Amino acid sequence: MYPALIGKKIGMTQVFADDGVVCPVTVVLAGPCVVMQIKKTDEKDGYDAVQIGFEDVKTRRATKPAIGHAGQAKTAPKKIIREVRMPDVQADADVGATLTVDLFDGVNFVDVSGTTKGKGFAGGVKRHGFKGQLASHGVERKHRSPGSIGGHGTDLGHGGNIKKGKKMAGHMGAAQNTSRNHRLVSIDAENNLLLIKGALPGPNGGYLFIKKSRTARDK
Amino acid sequence: MSQELLNKAVAGSIKDTPPEFRVGDTVNVSVRIAEGEKERVQVFRGVVIARKGGGVAETFTVRRIVNNEGVERIFLLHSPTLAGVEVVRSGQTRRAKLYYLRKRVGKATRLHDIAQGSRFTKPRSAKAAPQDIVEETPADDEPQKIDEPQTDSEPVSEEKPEE
């Protein structure tokens, strides 16, 4: 099965390589996940995927459809459910099977998706990296303002309107983000931990989707 | 729970018995240096002026004077390249961080040797020092903390009130 798991961000720390070089790592509690469903092209689904679930929900708090869906895999309803697209199907996983960090044996690089921390309504400097205006030289109360957003008729064909998607202040964060090509430093099978180099999206305790990198150099 | 998991994650990188020393000690720090395939040990001698951080990230700063120029090196306590720390003598301190030594030159940088005592303290052996503190301080929750000096840097700062 393609190496992919749902996990929970625990926090960041550091570990030493044998030569004493410090490596900053994010500790992720990954799995155990349960295979909830298998989708196949030649059946009604139209594509190949394995659906995996992470963390139980109390049955009395789950909806009947969720209980029924989990029942087909003979497991408890899950908090987080994700699909993993399988490039070379005939998924060798069975419905109801448990997946652990052992899946990542031999994997060197991973991509990690998660929901970033919400930043609220953020200005252009924070949200898009605008430079703002000068600190002095007569600038008054406009130090972090975005400046001009265009004048009459400068956007040809838009009749003096501002183009859609113009970078401005607005809501930032709390959006899905994928951080690619993180080195998988080590696997702790006993505690279901993955140590992944670098910072990952979201707060500690946030849910992450970790899968083998498709783009990394050592593919 | 998350702190427990973090501790488990770094269990492989943390030393079971990190070298024991305190702020104010004059130490010989041995560091392994790889030169090509060979490995040799370099010794840096100086006064420990600070211990910072906790757990796997704990560091300490050693200061010495070379050619009338102050030199400070920061070492990672749990680094595998840190071969050992040998305490040469223990100095009397009333601070957790001895940054004031940076402003001093020559004789003023000396610290009273714990073993010889000072105007204010009785002579005592450097090794017995931790026990002395346990006896002298009121038996609140202090001894509990001193039991685990490897994991946090607090015992260092706790020395101050005593004396």
Side-chain angles (χ1 to χ4, degrees), chain A residues 8 10-20 22 27 29 188 191 193 195, chain B residues 1-3 5-6 8-10 13-14 56-58 76-81:
Chain A
K8 203 177 205 179
I10 300 299
M12 287 196 75
T13 181
Q14 63 187 37
V15 293
F16 290 101
D18 291 336
D19 56 356
V22 174
V27 180
L29 178 69
D188 183 348
N191 300 309
L193 298 178
L195 271 58
Chain B
M1 187 193 81
S2 55
Q3 188 59 48
L5 287 173
L6 277 180
K8 283 177 183 168
V10 298
S13 286
I14 214 158
V56 70
E58 181 166 354
L76 288 145
L77 188 66
H78 292 281
S79 168
T81 58

Side-chain angles (χ1 to χ4, degrees), chain A residues 133-155:
Chain A
Q133 317 309 321
L134 297 179
S136 65
H137 292 297
V139 178
E140 285 187 320
R141 302 176 293 278
K142 300 266 180 211
H143 307 288
R144 291 174 70 88
S145 81
S148 169
I149 54 171
H152 276 296
T154 50
D155 289 328

Side-chain angles (χ1 to χ4, degrees), chain B:
Chain B
M1 187 193 81
S2 55
Q3 188 59 48
E4 270 173 40
L5 287 173
L6 277 180
N7 291 343
K8 283 177 183 168
V10 298
S13 286
I14 214 158
K15 288 177 182 170
D16 297 331
T17 54
E20 282 186 24
F21 59 91
R22 296 165 153 219
V23 171
D25 290 356
T26 304
V27 291
N28 286 335
V29 183
S30 313
V31 183
R32 292 191 195 95
I33 293 176
E35 286 177 343
E37 296 196 348
K38 277 189 182 172
E39 196 182 74
R40 67 187 181 83
V41 174
Q42 194 183 61
V43 178
F44 187 86
R45 183 188 183 121
V47 180
V48 180
I49 62 166
R51 287 181 75 150
K52 267 185 158 183
V56 70
E58 181 166 354
T59 62
F60 60 98
T61 306
V62 180
R63 179 178 173 86
R64 66 171 298 177
I65 307 291
V66 183
N67 293 339
N68 272 335
E69 192 68 42
V71 177
E72 284 179 15
R73 259 186 91 171
I74 300 171
F75 298 95
L76 288 145
L77 188 66
H78 292 281
S79 168
T81 58
L82 183 75
V85 179
E86 180 203 347
V87 178
V88 181
R89 68 189 279 271
S90 297
Q92 184 83 49
T93 60
R94 303 176 74 159
R95 303 272 179 281
K97 306 277 190 284
L98 307 183
Y99 296 143
Y100 66 88
L101 291 180
R102 290 171 176 165
K103 290 182 182 167
R104 299 198 175 177
V105 193
K107 282 186 174 180
T109 61
R110 295 170 308 169
L111 298 169
H112 283 294
D113 194 337
I114 283 184
Q116 289 178 3
S118 70
R119 201 143 57 95
F120 310 106
T121 56
K122 290 176 188 164
R124 58 184 175 186
S125 76
K127 271 198 169 178
Q131 271 93 48
D132 287 353
I133 289 168
V134 175
E135 286 163 14
E136 284 165 21
T137 47
D140 289 334
D141 53 343
E142 301 266 13
Q144 216 179 356
K145 285 181 181 172
I146 289 168
D147 283 344
E148 38 181 296
Q150 297 95 335
T151 49
D152 54 28
S153 57
E154 279 184 38
V156 175
S157 53
E158 276 172 19
E159 285 168 43
K160 287 185 300 174
E162 176 270 340
E163 106 137 356

Side-chain angles (χ1 to χ4, degrees), chain A:
Chain A
M1 194 184 140
Y2 196 83
L5 283 178
I6 304 168
K8 203 177 205 179
K9 179 164 155 183
I10 300 299
M12 287 196 75
T13 181
Q14 63 187 37
V15 293
F16 290 101
D18 291 336
D19 56 356
V21 175
V22 174
C23 182
V25 293
T26 307
V27 180
V28 179
L29 178 69
C33 294
V34 177
V35 177
M36 309 286 286
Q37 193 182 10
I38 291 175
K39 298 191 171 181
K40 292 200 170 112
T41 307
D42 46 4
E43 290 168 20
K44 60 185 174 182
D45 305 306
Y47 60 98
D48 300 308
V50 171
Q51 191 184 78
I52 59 176
F54 177 63
E55 276 199 352
D56 293 349
V57 180
K58 281 182 183 169
T59 314
R60 70 181 160 86
R61 287 188 186 152
T63 60
K64 279 188 179 173
I67 297 169
H69 182 63
Q72 289 183 352
K74 295 191 172 55
T75 179
K78 300 294 177 195
K79 209 177 243 179
I80 307 283
I81 293 176
R82 287 286 299 249
E83 273 184 11
V84 189
R85 294 292 281 262
M86 294 286 155
D88 48 352
V89 229
Q90 305 336 329
D92 39 13
D94 302 319
V95 173
T98 305
L99 309 172
T100 64
V101 287
D102 296 334
L103 269 183
F104 283 90
D105 275 344
V107 173
N108 289 328
F109 289 90
V110 293
D111 296 342
V112 183
S113 306
T115 306
T116 56
K117 286 183 185 173
K119 305 291 183 191
F121 191 98
V125 173
K126 183 173 191 154
R127 192 173 183 220
H128 299 295
F130 292 166
K131 288 182 174 169
Q133 317 309 321
L134 297 179
S136 65
H137 292 297
V139 178
E140 285 187 320
R141 302 176 293 278
K142 300 266 180 211
H143 307 288
R144 291 174 70 88
S145 81
S148 169
I149 54 171
H152 276 296
T154 50
D155 289 328
L156 291 175
H158 287 270
N161 295 326
I162 303 303
K163 263 187 181 175
K164 274 195 175 178
K166 179 77 192 158
K167 290 178 184 172
M168 293 195 204
H171 185 261
M172 180 184 176
Q176 166 137 335
N177 173 279
T178 302
S179 192
R180 295 183 193 280
N181 300 347
H182 286 271
R183 194 157 70 78
L184 182 56
V185 176
S186 71
I187 300 171
D188 183 348
E190 191 184 329
N191 300 309
N192 289 316
L193 298 178
L194 296 176
L195 271 58
I196 300 170
K197 183 173 180 182
L200 302 181
N204 291 346
Y207 291 99
L208 297 171
F209 183 62
I210 308 117
K211 66 181 185 181
K212 181 183 172 186
S213 176
R214 289 179 204 270
T215 51
R217 291 145 280 183
D218 76 327
K219 188 171 162 186

